[in-house]
Amino acid sequence: MYDFIDRPVTDLDNGGRFIVWAARSWVKAVGERRCPAHGIAPAFAKWNMLSGLQPFLGMMALLNRHGLQNFEFCGLQCNHVSEHEAIIVSLLCGLQEDDPVSVRHTLELLISDDAIGDLLLALNMLDKAMYAAGIRPGRETADTPPVDTAAKKPRR
C-alpha cells in the first residue's frame, strides 16, 4: 500500500490508474443512485476488460457491504491516491507477486470473515482480466522505471 498512497495518480501505470478511476467512478455512481456498471462498462470495453467488469463490480459491492470500516475514495479529479485506493492496487499486486497469505491477511483487516473467499475470487478474476488486457497494475511507477535485467548481464 505504501508504494501507492498519497502518490500522484499520474505516477501509476495504466493498470493502477484504471483501477483508481473505476473505483472512484463506482463510488460516484452509487452516491448518485445510478447503476455503476452502466457508467464504467464503456471504459472496460475500451481497455479489453469486459471479462473483468463483473469481478470488479463484485469486489466493490463486497467492500461496500462487508467492510469493517468505511472505505474512502477521492473524487474523479483528485490527483492523489487515497489509502483505500492504494490498498486495492496493492491487493492486485500481491496476487501477481504470488503472495496470497499477505493478501488474505490484509483482507481479514478489511472485511468480515464470511466475505473473504468471495472477495479473493473476485480479485483473482479481476487480476486475470487485467493480465489478459495487458494492464495489470505494478509497483513500478513513473519515478521508478523497470529494471532491464538483460542489460545488467556481464559480457564474456
Side-chain angles (χ1 to χ4, degrees), residues 27 29 31 43 45 49 69 71-72 76 80 89 113 115 118 121-122 126 134:
V27 169
M49 282 286 300
Q69 55 190 283
F71 290 81
E72 295 184 22
L76 285 169
H80 283 84
V89 176
D113 290 342
D118 291 336
L121 179 62
L126 179 59

Side-chain angles (χ1 to χ4, degrees), residues 51-69:
S51 64
L53 181 59
Q54 288 304 319
F56 174 80
L57 294 170
M59 174 192 75
M60 293 300 289
L62 288 164
L63 291 172
N64 187 42
R65 175 170 279 172
H66 298 282
L68 300 177
Q69 55 190 283

Side-chain angles (χ1 to χ4, degrees), residues 29-135:
V30 169
E32 294 172 351
R33 297 193 174 276
R34 291 183 295 113
C35 173
H38 181 74
I40 64 175
F44 273 71
K46 177 182 176 184
W47 284 90
N48 289 329
M49 282 286 300
L50 279 178
S51 64
L53 181 59
Q54 288 304 319
F56 174 80
L57 294 170
M59 174 192 75
M60 293 300 289
L62 288 164
L63 291 172
N64 187 42
R65 175 170 279 172
H66 298 282
L68 300 177
Q69 55 190 283
N70 287 327
F71 290 81
E72 295 184 22
F73 297 86
C74 294
L76 285 169
Q77 301 305 318
C78 180
N79 191 36
H80 283 84
V81 179
S82 76
E83 176 183 356
H84 293 107
E85 294 163 351
I87 289 171
I88 291 172
V89 176
S90 293
L91 288 168
L92 289 165
C93 289
L95 289 174
Q96 62 188 282
E97 292 163 357
D98 202 23
D99 192 8
V101 173
S102 178
V103 170
R104 183 166 184 88
H105 288 309
T106 301
L107 293 179
E108 290 170 357
L109 299 172
L110 298 174
I111 63 168
S112 60
D113 290 342
D114 60 332
I116 290 175
D118 291 336
L119 186 51
L120 272 172
L121 179 62
L123 284 166
N124 274 304
M125 292 172 61
L126 179 59
D127 178 57
K128 287 178 183 175
M130 294 186 86
Y131 175 77
I135 60 165

